[in-house]
Amino acid sequence: MARPLRAEIDLDALRHNYRLAASLAPGSRSMAVVKADAYGHGAVACAGALAALAPAFAVASIEEAVTLREGGIDQPILLLEGIFEAHELETVEALGLWQVIHSDWQLEALLAYEPRQPLTVWLKLDSGMHRLGFPPAAFIARWERLRQARDKTCDLHLISHFASADLDDATAFNAQHEVVEHVRQQLGAPICVANSPATLVKPQAHGAWNRPGIMLYGSNPLEGDLPAGLTLQPVMTLRSRLIAVQTLDAGQPVGYGGRWRTPRRSRIGVVAAGYGDGYDRHAMDGTPVLVDGQRCAITGRVSMDMLTVDISHVPEADVGSEVVLWGKGLAVDEVARHCDTIGYTLLTGVLPRVPRVYSRSPKSDG
């Protein structure tokens, strides 16, 4: 019998979330971000499920783009960090990729390259995050160089990234957006600046392109709740079973170091899932799980292959009972808060030994 832990990936939910993103910005084209193996969900499967909907995809590296092309994905693919070495321009051209340019060495490498046809370029503006890109004056100068290199480049776009579009306090977002708007108006440039939170609640940032990412996978990227009427569906449900049950008297330690002790006579369920699967070892006592659909709490430290939960109030729970670690019925963002992290890290942290099991309706295309 196979170990019961699995990550169930609901591709219909993925498509629902993409349609929601697109509906919020009807004047924009929505590029689906599938970097980091589609945030842990499987890039080829997810891109394939979105192929009839999404006009383009975005990844972090050449390797991720190659995986999509080898998986049969034909849409344009944007390299969000551009090339890492000049020789990668050959692959960019061969695979018909779009590239971000954020550094002078990338710009010079492109201008020294002799493409058979001009390449699509997205020039990165540092609008205030101070991570990648050119500050406004330098950006405008580089834009002009690329615009004049008609044998090298075509279809120039301005791309930038918001550091705080997710926050309730819009002060920093507004400052960045003002920088973007100033440069956009000077150049008449098509822009792509709206990430998931900006797609959801900052329509003023919607551009020629938006690039929703984490929201596609059902995680709420906002500091607060989603706006009324908007519903994201969880795409990944991490599901396992109880493999043992212990009945312990009051005051007994559970797990490594005895961090948690039974407050009363207790039934403790052992779940086949641990940090060796990507479940966060920092999960605190009280982190929620669902056992046979009922909320229970993690007790004690997460082990490499197992974790323990208090099932004293679920008398029918026993070996073989189903356990949902996050997903349908239990938001990954709630679990993340108990681990002092964010949903992104939990989803992308699910390790390869956890099987991904995909489902979709046969009538869900288009």
Side-chain angles (χ1 to χ4, degrees):
M1 178 180 294
R3 188 164 180 256
L5 181 65
R6 62 194 185 279
E8 297 176 353
I9 311 299
D10 183 345
L11 297 175
D12 288 334
L14 176 71
R15 293 163 65 83
H16 164 86
N17 297 336
Y18 178 86
R19 287 192 177 99
L20 175 62
S23 72
L24 293 171
S28 306
R29 288 178 285 180
S30 294
M31 175 185 307
V33 181
V34 293
K35 63 181 179 177
D37 199 27
Y39 294 65
H41 294 68
V44 171
C46 289
L50 293 174
L53 298 173
F57 295 97
V59 298
S61 67
I62 284 276
E63 292 81 4
E64 291 181 337
V66 168
T67 296
L68 291 183
R69 286 286 186 255
E70 290 177 346
I73 302 303
D74 297 325
Q75 279 94 334
I77 301 171
L78 176 64
L79 302 176
L80 290 169
E81 296 174 32
I83 59 171
F84 294 92
E85 297 182 41
H87 70 82
E88 291 180 338
L89 287 168
E90 297 176 4
T91 304
V92 168
E93 183 175 16
L95 298 183
L97 306 179
W98 297 347
Q99 62 183 307
V100 167
I101 289 181
H102 60 75
S103 300
D104 276 325
W105 79 264
Q106 293 174 325
L107 176 65
E108 298 303 332
L110 175 62
L111 294 178
Y113 185 68
E114 297 294 339
R116 290 182 290 276
Q117 294 182 339
L119 303 178
T120 298
V121 170
W122 300 58
L123 190 62
K124 187 70 172 274
L125 171 68
D126 180 3
S127 57
M129 189 172 184
H130 304 319
R131 190 174 63 176
L132 293 178
F134 301 98
F139 180 93
I140 292 170
R142 273 94 179 144
W143 181 276
E144 280 303 310
R145 288 188 68 191
L146 288 168
R147 189 182 63 81
Q148 293 172 15
R150 300 185 186 279
D151 59 330
K152 311 284 187 177
T153 67
C154 65
D155 199 19
L156 278 172
H157 288 73
L158 180 160
I159 188 169
S160 192
H161 194 66
F162 293 120
S164 55
D166 58 316
L167 301 183
D168 292 335
D169 182 350
T171 304
F173 166 81
N174 289 338
Q176 279 196 261
H177 184 250
E178 184 177 344
V179 172
V180 170
E181 275 298 289
H182 178 72
V183 175
R184 181 191 69 79
Q185 290 175 17
Q186 272 192 273
L187 299 175
I191 65 169
C192 176
V193 295
N195 51 9
S196 286
T199 297
L200 283 163
V201 296
K202 298 290 193 294
Q204 66 270 38
H206 296 173
W209 287 89
N210 291 351
R211 52 179 195 278
I214 191 66
M215 69 173 292
L216 300 182
Y217 307 98
S219 177
N220 174 14
L222 303 177
E223 185 177 45
D225 294 334
L226 291 171
L230 299 186
T231 301
L232 295 172
Q233 297 181 3
V235 177
M236 178 191 293
T237 297
L238 190 63
R239 198 184 302 270
S240 190
R241 293 188 179 276
L242 296 183
I243 59 172
V245 174
Q246 302 282 352
T247 300
L248 303 175
D249 291 332
Q252 294 301 304
V254 174
Y256 284 115
R259 181 182 73 183
W260 187 86
R261 289 178 177 268
T262 53
R264 47 171 158 49
R265 186 170 174 82
S266 303
R267 297 179 72 239
I268 302 300
V270 181
V271 184
Y275 64 78
D277 304 297
Y279 194 91
D280 198 324
R281 186 178 181 273
H282 299 98
M284 298 181 291
D285 296 330
T287 300
V289 300
L290 301 180
V291 178
D292 285 340
Q294 298 193 54
R295 289 177 71 96
C296 297
I298 285 181
T299 57
R301 290 194 175 105
V302 174
S303 303
M304 180 178 287
D305 308 304
M306 291 168 280
L307 55 85
T308 48
V309 297
D310 187 351
I311 58 171
S312 301
H313 62 294
V314 190
E316 66 275 17
D318 207 339
V319 172
S321 288
E322 185 177 77
V323 178
V324 171
L325 298 159
W326 65 66
K328 293 180 179 177
L330 180 60
V332 67
D333 304 302
E334 180 182 359
V335 177
R337 287 191 290 271
H338 283 80
C339 301
D340 193 25
T341 188
I342 54 178
Y344 299 69
T345 60
L346 297 186
L347 294 173
T348 59
V350 177
L351 295 171
R353 79 167 178 175
V354 180
R356 272 65 167 176
V357 180
Y358 296 92
S359 66
R360 67 187 294 180
S361 165
K363 297 182 180 180
S364 64
D365 289 330

